[in-house]
Amino acid sequence: MTTDIRPTAPAASAAAQAAAVNSTTDAAARAAGRGRYRARKRAGTIVAWVGLSLLGVVFLYPFVWLVSASFKPRGEVFDNQLIPQTFTLDNYVQVWQEAPLALWLLNTLLVTVLAAVTVTLSSAMVAWGFAYFRFRGRGALFVLVLATMMLPGAVTMIPVFLIWNALGQVGTLTPLWAGNLFGSAFYIFLLRQFFLGLPRDLFEAARIDGASQWGVFWRIALPLTKPALAVVLVFEVQAVWTDLMRALIYLRDSDTFTVPRGLKSLVDAYGFGGEWHWEVIITASVITTVPLIIVFFLAQRKIIDGVASTGIKG
């Protein structure tokens, strides 16, 4: 004799109802959880945008103030109003009359182009050597190159000056860019890491096809590293364009002044200890800053791609 253990109809109905209630409760809980997650995510996004906006205002305010002051007459330069009460273009006319600004810009452009191109190519060649070739002592030599980054500029300032003085180049633009012919430790490290991320089989295949070592580097490796090269180029443009120390050391004649050295002479003449014509200095600063902003604006995509694709490898 067998016993029927199946639940009765009322019991089965109650179990189904309980299961349905539990399922509905679980779905409601999941929906509530998703709602809370979306709310937290939305709140986090708003907080991030507000924080970034505040930081943007903090960073942009000095330049906006500078541009605004360049359109003010002398008596209103420091009134701390972003919208000039008296709008004038006389400052831009006066600055071209008071200083050879066009010549300073031309000198700076020449030095910047030469320095950026030479340091990019020389650093790329050294970085390629460390990344591609296998030789004894490679690691120790690379560490030695990186160790030069630990030397303060003041340590080598006098020896380097004596070298250029012995070569008769003090007073010329040559010391401001020719040192880049030997590369930069930071750029060598940056480019080496990028080269290490490239597939080595590609270069070996090119060698099998008859390409020379120089051909592999120039025709294959360099085109593949355009983002990293753009980063190096822009970084060096910014460094050279704003370099005042070397200009103070090596430049003597105003005809050879670069923009930072020229602005220093304007500060001496019209700023502290001078005639207190700050509107002239401010206007010259705006004129000399705009080219650098344009360069960064045009190269921002390359900078982001280069930094994002350059990792710590090897």
Side-chain angles (χ1 to χ4, degrees):
M1 180 177 180
T2 60
T3 303
D4 189 359
I5 61 174
R6 290 178 297 175
T8 62
S13 177
Q17 290 177 359
V21 170
N22 292 335
S23 177
T24 303
T25 303
D26 293 341
R30 287 194 296 269
R34 287 194 296 268
R36 288 192 297 268
Y37 172 77
R38 285 194 295 265
R40 288 196 299 268
K41 185 177 181 180
R42 189 179 302 110
T45 302
I46 294 174
V47 171
W49 275 105
V50 171
L52 291 175
S53 299
L54 292 176
L55 289 176
V57 170
V58 171
F59 280 100
L60 285 176
Y61 178 78
F63 182 72
V64 173
W65 183 94
L66 191 73
V67 174
S68 175
S70 68
F71 293 105
K72 298 177 181 179
R74 180 181 180 184
E76 301 178 7
V77 169
F78 296 102
D79 61 4
N80 204 27
Q81 295 185 9
L82 296 182
I83 300 177
Q85 294 181 353
T86 305
F87 188 88
T88 179
L89 295 175
D90 293 341
N91 297 334
Y92 286 88
V93 176
Q94 183 182 0
V95 72
W96 291 100
Q97 296 174 348
E98 298 293 338
L101 197 58
L103 181 59
W104 295 347
L105 287 170
L106 182 61
N107 292 337
T108 307
L109 180 62
L110 176 63
V111 171
T112 301
V113 171
L114 291 174
V117 172
T118 53
V119 79
T120 301
L121 292 179
S122 59
S123 298
M125 287 189 285
V126 177
W128 172 252
F130 281 119
Y132 180 74
F133 296 103
R134 302 287 190 264
F135 55 90
R136 181 176 299 178
R138 184 184 65 162
L141 186 59
F142 183 66
V143 171
L144 184 62
V145 171
L146 294 183
T148 61
M149 296 172 58
M150 310 303 167
L151 291 175
V155 174
T156 58
M157 186 181 299
I158 295 177
V160 172
F161 174 82
L162 294 177
I163 293 174
W164 289 119
N165 187 49
L167 295 174
Q169 297 300 315
V170 174
T172 68
L173 296 174
T174 303
L176 275 63
W177 67 269
N180 287 354
L181 290 169
F182 306 99
S184 167
F186 173 72
Y187 298 148
I188 291 171
F189 170 77
L190 183 70
L191 294 173
R192 173 185 175 271
Q193 303 311 116
F194 198 96
F195 283 132
L196 288 175
L198 299 178
R200 188 178 180 86
D201 294 341
L202 182 64
F203 308 130
E204 298 299 338
R207 290 288 294 157
I208 293 174
D209 290 340
S212 62
Q213 296 287 5
W214 176 257
V216 171
F217 168 72
W218 187 257
R219 297 180 181 178
I220 300 177
L222 275 188
L224 292 175
T225 57
K226 285 182 179 179
L229 294 176
V231 171
V232 172
L233 197 68
V234 174
F235 280 5
E236 188 63 18
V237 166
Q238 187 273 335
V240 177
W241 191 274
T242 59
D243 183 20
L244 174 61
M245 181 60 68
R246 284 187 293 182
L248 284 173
I249 295 174
Y250 295 105
L251 301 182
R252 302 287 185 267
D253 189 0
S254 62
D255 291 339
T256 61
F257 281 180
T258 57
V259 163
R261 183 65 182 89
L263 291 179
K264 176 63 170 61
S265 66
L266 288 180
V267 172
D268 295 338
Y270 299 102
F272 297 107
E275 302 176 6
W276 297 93
H277 288 291
W278 287 103
E279 72 279 4
V280 176
I281 302 172
I282 290 173
T283 305
S285 300
V286 172
I287 294 174
T288 56
T289 304
V290 168
L292 206 57
I293 295 176
I294 294 175
V295 170
F296 272 88
F297 177 78
L298 295 176
Q300 60 179 335
R301 177 61 61 183
K302 291 293 184 181
I303 296 175
I304 296 173
D305 293 342
V307 172
S309 57
T310 304
I312 308 300
K313 299 181 177 65

